[in-house]
Amino acid sequence: MERADPEEVKEAMTEGVKFRYLSAPTEILGEAGKVTDIKLEIMERGKPDEKGRRKPVGTGKFETLPIDSVIAAVGQTVDWGGLDTGKLEKSAKGTALADALTYQTAEPDIFVGGDVYTGPKFAIDAIAAGKEAAIPLHRYVHPGQTLTMGRDRRVYSALNPVFIYKALT
């Protein structure tokens, strides 16, 4: 299992992220469709296994913390549930194969983004992909729309330094 990059941890702490070790979320609480609290079980390290690793085990003690949002980032594989009807194409790593511009899969009414498309990355990458996928998805559900018109294909060419030098002189 990969650990977080120390620089990213430092940046997160600078932004006010509080790390909770040996705590397992058990319930997300809220009212009127808005998250208000999270209930955590306090864990402790169990007995060492054959390799000397001590897995967390529950203590039966709980704590409830006030929160205003939740970003779920558990696991490294995609759980397709009932979405996979056999037409979805997947990479060797189990991520969805989709059009790079529209995020549409081989199953026409399934659009993907985030870790489902790229594999594990940063949360902001998943948010950006979701935003990009929302545009063609919105067009898809409105008949007569094109999924690609006006979309940025993000095809960039490197600048030739010779032309820049000539332009500046």
Side-chain angles (χ1 to χ4, degrees):
M1 176 185 235
E2 291 184 42
R3 299 197 179 266
D5 181 279
E7 188 63 30
E8 292 173 2
V9 172
K10 184 178 175 184
E11 288 176 16
M13 292 173 92
T14 301
E15 292 179 16
V17 172
K18 295 177 182 155
F19 292 88
R20 297 286 308 229
Y21 302 101
L22 291 173
S23 299
T26 59
E27 187 176 2
I28 297 171
L29 306 167
E31 48 190 59
K34 183 173 177 2
V35 63
T36 58
D37 301 280
I38 189 164
K39 184 176 178 183
L40 306 170
E41 181 173 10
I42 308 304
M43 311 294 276
E44 64 185 14
R45 295 199 180 274
K47 295 185 180 182
D49 64 13
E50 63 278 352
K51 294 184 178 178
R53 295 178 298 206
R54 298 175 64 192
K55 293 185 178 180
V57 294
T59 62
K61 298 176 188 169
F62 296 87
E63 180 179 7
T64 302
L65 300 175
I67 59 171
D68 58 17
S69 60
V70 175
I71 298 174
V74 179
Q76 298 292 314
T77 59
V78 178
D79 178 4
W80 291 103
L83 286 178
D84 188 357
T85 62
K87 293 181 185 174
L88 280 174
E89 297 173 3
K90 298 176 208 129
S91 72
K93 294 181 181 180
T95 59
L97 296 178
D99 183 271
L101 183 61
T102 65
Y103 294 87
Q104 186 178 32
T105 67
E107 182 77 47
D109 59 346
I110 297 180
F111 292 73
V112 295
D115 292 358
V116 171
Y117 179 64
T118 63
K121 289 184 86 176
F122 297 105
I124 193 63
D125 292 316
I127 293 165
K131 182 180 177 191
E132 290 298 318
I135 296 166
L137 173 60
H138 178 79
R139 292 176 178 181
Y140 179 80
V141 298
H142 291 88
Q145 300 287 316
T146 172
L147 303 185
T148 58
M149 187 177 286
R151 302 286 294 154
D152 182 359
R153 293 190 181 272
R154 291 181 172 72
V155 178
Y156 302 104
S157 299
L159 293 175
N160 185 332
V162 173
F163 293 133
I164 294 171
Y165 177 75
K166 287 180 180 178
L168 295 174
T169 56

